[in-house]
Amino acid sequence: MRTRRSAPRPAPALAALLLAAALALTGCSAGDDASGGSNSAAHRGADDKGVSGEAAPGGTGSGAKATAPPKLAASHIIRTASLTVQVKDVSKARDQARTGVENAGGYVGEESTTRDAEGHERTRVVLRVPVEKYDGVLAELEGTGKLLDRSAKAEDVTDQVVDVESRITTQRASVARIRELMDRATKLSDVVTLEGELSTRQADLESLLARQKSLKDRTSLATITLSLSETPVKKEAEDDDPGFVDALAGGWSAFVTMLRWLAVAFGAVLPFAAVAALLVLLWLRVVRPRLPRRPAPTATALGPLPTARPAPEAAQPRTPGERD
């Protein structure tokens, strides 16, 4: 006997359809809430981590991701160094330094070589090397010989570079405005005024561009001043016992020293002797001839004056019989 199937009731089918729609709506709202919650959690995690980039204590799993630190502005530093190295062969060390600098992408800016009285050669070389190769080239130059002196300096000019770039931008905009005004000017006086203003601002712009170029050159290339000197030749030890030649040399040196001191003494006395000789000459030539002279004895009209006669001798008594 064939059983008869009953037709499905419309009420349970409608209820199932409504339940499915409610579940779909609930899932969509839950997804939106979850996405919003994850975004807010990410923001909270970034705030909790701070500058160090470490996860917050409450963060778990892959939800607490480290944020990248902010990028710092590129620094502009002027690097200079000075080296004094003692080598056995200055020419060889100079060529080696020049080759090393050229291989690093630099060049020789200045070079001077001298030789002292003993024949020792000395060289001073100014080298320009890229900043990224600065440390390597400096270490290589220090190893060419015996390092006697080393000094290095680093100057941060980032603020100057930024300031110059900002002023260049402003100055270019100012020049562009002046040119626009010149295009729209109709009076000759306005054109002349604007041309003067344009030349002034153009000169300021060129000055700023030259300063920017100088800063770029000094920050991109480091300066190394290298001084090379040869090692003095050591003399052999001489015999301490003096000989005839040593005595003769010592005596000659003493004789020359004595002559030198005599010459010094003569030079010191010479001005006084010259003044004394001049005074004596004036006395003999000028003063003495003008002095009054003593009068000489003169003869009278009666002849020369009588001279005094000697007194007569005393008369002696006469003897009897003696005649006159």
Side-chain angles (χ1 to χ4, degrees):
M1 181 177 180
R2 187 174 56 181
T3 60
R4 184 178 180 181
R5 297 181 180 179
S6 60
R9 297 180 181 180
L14 182 60
L17 182 60
L18 293 176
L19 180 60
L23 290 175
L25 292 175
T26 303
C28 292
S29 61
D32 294 337
D33 294 338
S35 62
S38 62
N39 293 333
S40 60
H43 286 292
R44 287 194 302 271
D47 295 335
D48 293 338
K49 282 182 286 186
V51 178
S52 62
E54 296 178 358
T60 58
S62 61
K65 296 181 180 180
T67 58
K71 294 183 180 179
L72 300 176
S75 59
H76 301 271
I77 300 176
I78 299 175
R79 299 184 182 274
T80 57
S82 177
L83 296 177
T84 302
V85 184
Q86 194 174 35
V87 296
K88 294 182 179 180
D89 190 350
V90 170
S91 300
K92 183 178 179 181
R94 182 179 60 246
D95 296 339
Q96 181 180 354
R98 184 186 293 110
T99 302
V101 170
E102 291 177 354
N103 292 336
Y107 64 93
V108 178
E110 182 182 351
E111 180 179 342
S112 61
T113 302
T114 59
R115 190 179 297 272
D116 57 12
E118 299 179 357
H120 298 151
E121 187 176 358
R122 297 183 181 181
T123 297
R124 180 179 177 273
V125 186
V126 179
L127 307 174
R128 304 298 306 280
V129 297
V131 175
E132 57 273 11
K133 302 292 183 64
Y134 168 75
D135 295 330
V137 173
L138 196 62
E140 182 180 354
L141 294 176
E142 291 178 0
T144 55
K146 181 180 179 181
L147 181 63
L148 300 180
D149 185 26
R150 180 184 185 275
S151 62
K153 181 181 178 181
E155 181 183 0
D156 190 357
V157 292
T158 305
D159 296 339
Q160 299 181 24
V161 173
V162 174
D163 178 66
V164 170
E165 291 179 353
S166 176
R167 293 173 62 184
I168 287 176
T169 303
T170 304
Q171 199 69 17
R172 283 176 174 171
S174 178
V175 170
R177 287 194 300 270
I178 294 297
R179 289 178 176 175
E180 291 179 358
L181 292 176
M182 288 183 62
D183 294 339
R184 291 182 294 177
T186 56
K187 296 182 179 180
L188 181 60
S189 58
D190 295 341
V191 173
V192 172
T193 303
L194 290 174
E195 284 183 351
E197 188 67 22
L198 178 62
S199 61
T200 302
R201 300 192 182 189
Q202 190 71 30
D204 294 340
L205 178 59
E206 292 177 357
S207 176
L208 290 173
L209 291 174
R211 185 179 178 186
Q212 184 187 39
K213 183 179 179 181
S214 175
L215 288 173
K216 183 179 179 180
D217 177 73
R218 296 167 61 190
T219 54
S220 60
L221 294 175
T223 303
I224 301 176
T225 303
L226 177 63
S227 299
L228 300 173
S229 61
E230 290 184 353
T231 304
V233 180
K234 296 183 179 180
K235 297 182 179 180
E236 298 180 357
E238 298 180 355
D239 190 3
D240 296 335
D241 297 334
F244 174 77
V245 178
D246 297 332
L248 182 61
W252 177 256
S253 177
F255 178 71
V256 172
T257 303
M258 182 188 67
L259 292 179
R260 185 183 299 111
W261 281 109
L262 289 176
V264 171
F266 178 75
V269 175
L270 184 59
F272 300 96
V275 173
L278 180 61
L279 292 177
V280 172
L281 183 62
L282 290 176
W283 171 264
L284 296 177
R285 297 288 184 179
V286 179
V287 179
R288 186 176 179 180
R290 296 183 180 182
L291 292 177
R293 297 181 179 180
R294 294 179 180 180
T298 58
T300 61
L302 298 178
L305 294 176
T307 59
R309 294 182 178 180
E313 297 180 357
Q316 297 181 358
R318 296 179 179 177
T319 58
E322 193 177 29
R323 294 180 181 181
D324 295 335

